[in-house]
Amino acid sequence: TELDDTMTKYTNITPEGMEDILFSDCEARRAIESSVIGLFKSRGFSEVITPTLEFYDVFSNRFNAIPQEMMYKLFDGKGRILALRSDNTMPIARLAATRLKAFAPPLRLYYNQRVFRISPSMTGRSDEFTQCGIELIGSNGLKADLEVIDTAITALLGTVGENFRIELGHVGFYKAIVDNLPLGPEKTEQLQSFIEAKNYAALHDLLAPSAQGSACCRALMVLPRLFGGGEVFEQALAVAPNEASSRAICYLSGLYDELCAMGLRDHILIDFGLVSQIDYYSGVVFRGFVQGSGETILSGGRYDSLLSAFGADLPATGFAVNVDAVAKAVEYTGLKRETVLLHYEKGYEKAAFERREQLIASGTVCEMSVFETEEEAESYARLRGMSRLDSIGAQHRIREL
């Protein structure tokens, strides 16, 4: 019937923004997670897991981390609004301010969790992806920022090799300028978007009416061009309109010098146009990119005021690796191991299963045959590209394929 057709219309497809992940793609993601988690553990970070569902209020405080139109929302049994986890830092800030408030800082936490965000149509982006990241809570200053950025670079070296860059900025420079301008929320949002996209024409049209005689407007108009190596700091100081913006430049310059002294210069670019749309960032911010891919594979920064929204006055910094984006950007070859199909005749079940355990213990991937005849088993093994067929019966036969 027509009703039945309507009810089964979506039986065989996934919702927009969602996807099935198969075989080697799963293996690639697990390998990336294993590498990054191993790094976090080796540096003293402990795992936490937050609920997939949180109260909507966790994400809708004054920092407005994720626009509400990007959240998947639903109601619980009492009519309260819930949201699927759209960000990992906000729930961990809640956790640190409540369950972990008795722990002496700094807190070193890591997570490996799925995130759900509604992406604009036709962008090709997934609405569900895995973030693997750290939060260093209760410590401010250069040492904490240096450790977190070094950990981010090491995480990418272990997953994508040398073929990446980290873009490093400081939102304090931008905020010190824009806080002195009479811009409403709508224009401020447009301003951030134009700067991030390096849309010079639109930025000029937005600021031109106010630019005459305004050092702040002139600084914002050149902000997207403050991009490159260490020479950018001198250019930024030349247009800095106030003491607060100059302090942000000097702090980032000192951090950059330390990272270069550690031998990391080749992986770092400075970008003062990095004015993240996530409003809880307060200081140093950074993003990672793989050459040939425009998608952000890593993002992070300092957020010293966020925990105050949950009742704790603690500085913090951290980052997250987008595991799915890394897996798509880098060709994964995997660890090639010999794969054996183990076939057995009736009455030799015990011997066959014992042989399977021996093969697995030696590092061989072993699949048990479900076929009645050896010929069927061999045909299947060849179809699957297996390296060997072992047959257990009156005789033990090994056949290389």
Side-chain angles (χ1 to χ4, degrees):
T1 67
E2 185 176 338
L3 179 61
D4 290 335
D5 290 342
T6 302
M7 293 177 65
T8 60
K9 182 178 179 180
Y10 303 109
T11 300
N12 293 334
I13 60 174
T14 60
E16 185 177 351
M18 305 295 176
E19 61 179 339
D20 298 314
I21 303 172
L22 306 177
F23 311 140
S24 61
D25 289 335
C26 294
E27 188 179 355
R29 283 160 172 77
R30 298 301 180 221
I32 293 163
E33 291 170 5
S34 177
S35 173
V36 175
I37 288 171
L39 170 67
F40 296 163
K41 287 182 176 180
S42 74
R43 298 193 173 187
F45 290 84
S46 300
E47 185 176 17
V48 293
I49 300 173
T50 62
T52 303
L53 282 172
E54 295 269 3
F55 283 113
Y56 173 68
D57 299 26
V58 171
F59 303 105
S60 64
N61 59 50
R62 67 180 184 273
F63 291 98
N64 191 30
I66 304 295
Q68 66 97 11
E69 61 269 18
M70 292 180 66
M71 298 185 205
Y72 282 94
K73 298 180 286 291
L74 62 157
F75 295 94
D76 69 3
K78 298 180 180 179
R80 296 172 296 191
I81 304 175
L82 307 178
L84 286 175
R85 187 195 304 114
S86 59
D87 173 75
N88 276 304
T89 299
M90 303 288 278
I92 289 176
R94 172 194 57 73
L95 176 68
T98 54
R99 298 285 303 280
L100 300 177
K101 65 180 179 181
F103 283 72
L107 298 174
R108 295 173 178 271
L109 310 176
Y110 84 82
Y111 55 87
N112 181 41
Q113 302 186 142
R114 300 294 272 176
V115 168
F116 305 87
R117 294 179 190 169
I118 301 173
S119 300
S121 298
M122 310 302 289
T123 61
R125 294 180 180 176
S126 177
D127 286 8
E128 179 186 8
F129 55 94
T130 297
Q131 285 186 335
C132 192
I134 60 170
E135 310 294 353
L136 179 52
I137 298 172
S139 181
N140 57 16
L142 190 69
K143 285 187 175 181
D145 288 337
L146 193 64
E147 178 183 351
V148 166
I149 295 169
D150 172 68
T151 302
I153 292 173
T154 306
L156 293 185
L157 285 170
T159 52
V160 304
E162 298 279 348
N163 192 29
F164 71 90
R165 71 178 187 276
I166 293 286
E167 294 182 357
L168 188 62
H170 197 302
V171 298
F173 179 71
Y174 165 78
K175 288 183 176 180
I177 298 171
V178 80
D179 287 349
N180 287 284
L181 292 174
L183 298 175
E186 184 178 346
K187 279 195 173 181
T188 300
E189 187 176 336
Q190 288 179 327
L191 181 67
Q192 283 184 326
S193 177
F194 295 155
I195 292 173
E196 285 269 2
K198 301 193 184 300
N199 189 336
Y200 303 109
L203 185 62
H204 180 272
D205 290 343
L206 180 66
L207 295 173
S210 309
Q212 190 171 3
S214 171
C216 288
C217 283
R218 289 196 297 271
L220 287 174
M221 289 173 73
V222 302
L223 194 57
R225 293 186 171 88
L226 297 177
F227 177 83
E231 73 283 352
V232 170
F233 296 114
E234 189 173 333
Q235 298 169 16
L237 282 171
V239 298
N242 51 43
E243 185 181 347
S245 59
S246 296
R247 282 199 305 269
I249 296 167
C250 292
Y251 182 85
L252 189 62
S253 177
L255 179 62
Y256 176 75
D257 288 344
E258 294 288 346
L259 290 166
C260 290
M262 294 166 62
L264 302 175
R265 183 191 304 271
D266 291 345
H267 293 298
I268 301 170
L269 288 172
I270 302 301
D271 186 0
F272 279 103
L274 202 61
V275 289
S276 178
Q277 299 278 349
I278 296 181
D279 291 337
Y280 55 64
Y281 287 127
S282 59
V284 172
V285 288
F286 52 95
R287 292 180 187 169
F289 299 90
V290 172
Q291 186 174 342
S293 172
E295 190 169 359
T296 303
I297 61 170
L298 178 149
S299 60
R302 175 160 289 281
Y303 51 98
D304 286 345
S305 300
L306 176 60
L307 272 84
S308 64
F310 301 94
D313 185 18
L314 289 170
T317 182
F319 73 88
V321 174
N322 184 329
V323 173
D324 297 58
V326 171
K328 290 175 182 176
V330 179
E331 184 178 353
Y332 176 74
T333 56
L335 178 64
K336 299 299 182 183
R337 292 196 293 169
E338 184 179 24
T339 304
V340 171
L341 181 64
L342 186 58
H343 182 75
Y344 58 92
E345 298 174 4
K346 185 174 177 58
Y348 290 88
E349 291 83 0
K350 184 175 184 296
F353 281 85
E354 288 176 349
R355 176 60 178 164
R356 179 188 64 179
E357 297 310 307
Q358 292 171 1
L359 289 168
I360 291 173
S362 70
T364 301
V365 176
C366 184
E367 181 179 331
M368 299 299 287
S369 167
V370 295
F371 301 99
E372 295 297 326
T373 68
E374 189 173 327
E375 290 74 17
E376 290 176 300
E378 180 179 347
S379 177
Y380 170 80
R382 291 186 184 280
L383 181 66
R384 288 286 183 264
M386 296 183 178
S387 53
R388 208 173 82 201
L389 174 66
D390 283 18
S391 297
I392 304 291
Q395 295 180 334
H396 180 188
R397 295 182 299 278
I398 297 176
R399 186 177 305 170
E400 300 291 340
L401 303 175

